[in-house]
Amino acid sequence: MTVENGYADIFGPQVPRTGDAGQTATVALASAAYRDSPMEDIKKADNEWHQTTVKPGRPWATIFRPNLGEAFSRAVVDRMLGSGRKPLIQSFGTEPLVVVEHCLAANRIRRERDNKLSAAMVLCGLLFLPGLLVWLLVFQIRTTVSKSENKQAGALGTTLLVAVGALAVIFLIRMPFTGFWGWYARAAVVMPVVGWFWAKQICESTARDLRERWDSLLSGSSVGAKVPEAVPTGPGETAAEQLRQSLAKLSAEQQSNSVFYAGPKGILGMGTRWGSWQLAEDLVPADPTREIHPFRSWDVIRSVHDQLRMLERGPLNTGGFPTPSIRHWIVTPIGEGAAAVSRPEGTDVEAFQVKPHAIQDICNKQQFGAGDRHYLGVQWTLWDGQLIITMLITVTVLHATLRIEVTGHALGPVNGLFTTKPEAPSKEVAKSFKPWETRTVKLPLVTTNEVVRLAVRAPLTWYPPLLNWLGGTIALPEPFGLRHAWADQPWRHRFMADDALRAATPVLRVVHAAAIKVLEENGVDTEKFGTRSAFLSTAVQDPMPKKADVYDA
């Protein structure tokens, strides 16, 4: 691994690595790039704090509307790799690089399909433009009519298509033109239909490929996302080099130790604060004849950090805690409705990481008033990335009062929209001679309207802004992070809620024990601290999570 421009080069000369199929949350989000459901389905994944905006296109151009996979993969790539993009929120418990790689792979598959469809459109459509326009007009009218809830209107749309087909046959037989124009008119009627059959084969082949990748991801198979366009093969490939650096920058930002507190939304990426326990007592000498030996907040935090490493060990062989991630975090406050964040900059920051000496200074000095704050965090990624439990510890000293605060944050599973597997299109119909019984009829994987939609969109994919203006797109919730944008509350899942609640008591006791040890070593009377700690140890066993960030004042 090399470092270039402050970011780790995670690729080297080979094709970028594939995703980890064991991460349920990662592959669930990645599977959205391959889906063919309606774009509006993304609204089903909205949560209390983050809503995705579906931007409709022109009302008269519904034939250009993208599906969910097309809109999602394009929006994610533009937001996470676009030039001059806004800062991103870390996606704890997931690998955003893997999700972006799958979006790039899905875009490449669709681009190859669109190149073939463009060739079909030129040979069978553009050269016979009058006939193409007539057929497109008929399909657009049929699509508009078929969306009506009135069943008679839907039948009318099908009848219209059949009637135009009959007229086309009559036109071929009773051609009013002769010579070259007669033959051209016949070709203008027939070639768009031939192009449709050609396009149908192309669309079905690609649809099967995309659905197989979608199903394989959610089934646990190791489906890799090959992104050859991110691997430069020569010094002149500036686009590939730029994409490679953008992916490396994304990976570096994911490892940043800077997070953002958005009021009632909690810490973005870690979830809302569901519990808070504070131990605050005066610093009184244990020996009245001697003064307290001077110490700083960092000394207490360092002791707590060392003891938290022992959480995975216990006196009994009963499984217990898995190995947690223990990190020092710099927390920046932002407004609840903030549309963007700004990461710390300057000489104390390198590759999105606040340097250790700056972390220590913030811990010791920035405890009151404006500025960033320091928190020591112990974090578990559980349920294959579906549950993120974070316990944050901060130590402050104001006048003669030392306060140790432990807060619990929890981020729930990815919305169920992303974990649904593809189903073969089908419908229930009544049996001919037993109308009280039904049977399942398989439908084509790609419908007639879908073939027309893809064929018409294909020549415009070279210029996405025009395509987005015509058909619409989705706007991702800001400040954007892949994980927290579509996370549900963990409290609806009994075992996830149990895990979050159970983690609080051991962490609180370890933190208090480590802090009291430091106080004793520096000549502080710890009687009141011990009494208060015992009280909090009882209170933390309250089984009800609270909305600790909603101050009902």
Side-chain angles (χ1 to χ4, degrees), residues 547-553:
K547 291 185 177 180
D549 283 313
V550 180
Y551 295 95
D552 189 11

Side-chain angles (χ1 to χ4, degrees), residues 77-396:
V77 169
D78 289 346
R79 177 63 183 84
M80 303 189 77
L81 299 181
S83 59
R85 65 167 174 81
K86 299 178 182 178
L88 295 165
I89 303 301
Q90 297 96 312
S91 300
F92 302 108
T94 62
E95 290 290 342
L97 183 63
V98 173
V99 179
V100 172
E101 286 176 354
H102 278 284
C103 290
L104 288 169
N107 286 341
R108 179 176 54 81
I109 293 171
R110 293 188 177 103
R111 185 166 58 250
E112 292 174 353
R113 177 201 63 196
D114 293 338
N115 290 339
K116 297 176 183 177
L117 290 176
S118 297
M121 282 292 289
V122 171
L123 296 177
C124 300
L126 187 60
L127 296 179
F128 308 96
L129 188 59
L132 175 65
L133 293 178
V134 172
W135 282 113
L136 287 181
L137 179 61
V138 172
F139 273 102
Q140 180 64 32
I141 295 174
R142 179 176 179 267
T143 302
T144 304
V145 173
S146 63
K147 290 183 178 180
S148 174
E149 297 182 358
N150 189 344
K151 294 183 179 180
Q152 294 180 353
L156 179 62
T158 303
T159 304
L160 174 65
L161 183 60
V162 173
V164 173
L167 289 175
V169 173
I170 296 173
F171 183 74
L172 289 174
I173 299 174
R174 307 285 296 179
M175 179 62 60
F177 307 109
T178 59
F180 170 79
W181 293 111
W183 290 107
Y184 179 81
R186 289 186 176 91
V189 173
V190 174
M191 290 306 294
V193 178
V194 174
W196 178 87
F197 281 103
W198 181 11
K200 191 174 188 303
Q201 301 300 318
I202 298 171
C203 293
E204 286 183 344
S205 174
T206 303
R208 282 193 294 269
D209 185 16
L210 293 174
R211 280 188 161 236
E212 286 174 1
R213 292 171 180 270
W214 172 8
D215 182 71
S216 297
L217 279 173
L218 297 181
S219 299
S221 302
S222 56
V223 178
K226 297 181 180 179
V227 193
E229 61 266 31
V231 183
T233 57
E237 295 189 2
T238 56
E241 176 64 18
Q242 183 178 0
L243 178 57
R244 184 192 65 82
Q245 292 187 9
S246 295
L247 290 169
K249 180 180 178 181
L250 172 63
S251 181
E253 191 168 9
Q254 169 70 5
Q255 303 302 321
S256 174
N257 58 1
S258 170
V259 291
F260 304 90
Y261 215 132
K265 291 183 180 179
I267 293 182
L268 299 181
M270 293 184 182
T272 55
R273 184 172 66 160
W274 64 266
S276 176
W277 304 274
Q278 303 181 31
L279 187 158
E281 296 293 342
D282 290 342
L283 296 172
V284 179
D287 185 352
T289 62
R290 295 184 178 181
E291 293 184 353
I292 297 173
H293 187 273
F295 66 94
R296 300 177 299 173
S297 299
W298 182 255
D299 298 322
V300 179
I301 285 292
R302 186 172 55 187
S303 176
V304 171
H305 182 276
D306 294 339
Q307 291 302 312
L308 287 175
R309 291 181 175 179
M310 310 298 289
L311 277 172
E312 57 189 288
R313 302 182 184 180
L316 304 178
N317 184 19
T318 59
F321 282 126
T323 304
S325 170
I326 303 173
R327 296 189 68 185
H328 295 273
W329 298 99
I330 299 303
V331 182
T332 301
I334 63 174
E336 177 184 352
V341 297
S342 178
R343 293 199 174 276
E345 297 179 348
T347 57
D348 293 333
V349 181
E350 182 178 0
F352 301 106
Q353 296 277 347
V354 180
K355 296 180 180 179
H357 72 88
I359 294 176
Q360 187 171 341
D361 287 343
I362 293 173
C363 176
N364 290 326
K365 299 176 182 178
Q366 292 184 211
Q367 301 181 357
F368 202 72
D372 299 336
R373 303 288 170 84
H374 165 271
Y375 284 82
L376 174 63
V378 51
Q379 186 177 88
W380 288 275
T381 299
L382 307 173
W383 296 82
D384 285 338
Q386 290 285 55
L387 175 64
I388 311 299
I389 299 174
T390 310
M391 304 296 295
L392 296 179
I393 304 100
T394 184
V395 177
T396 59

Side-chain angles (χ1 to χ4, degrees), residues 398-418:
L398 298 176
H399 187 51
T401 300
L402 182 140
R403 178 184 296 268
I404 302 169
E405 184 177 0
V406 180
T407 59
H409 297 255
L411 190 70
V414 172
N415 187 273
L417 170 71
F418 297 96

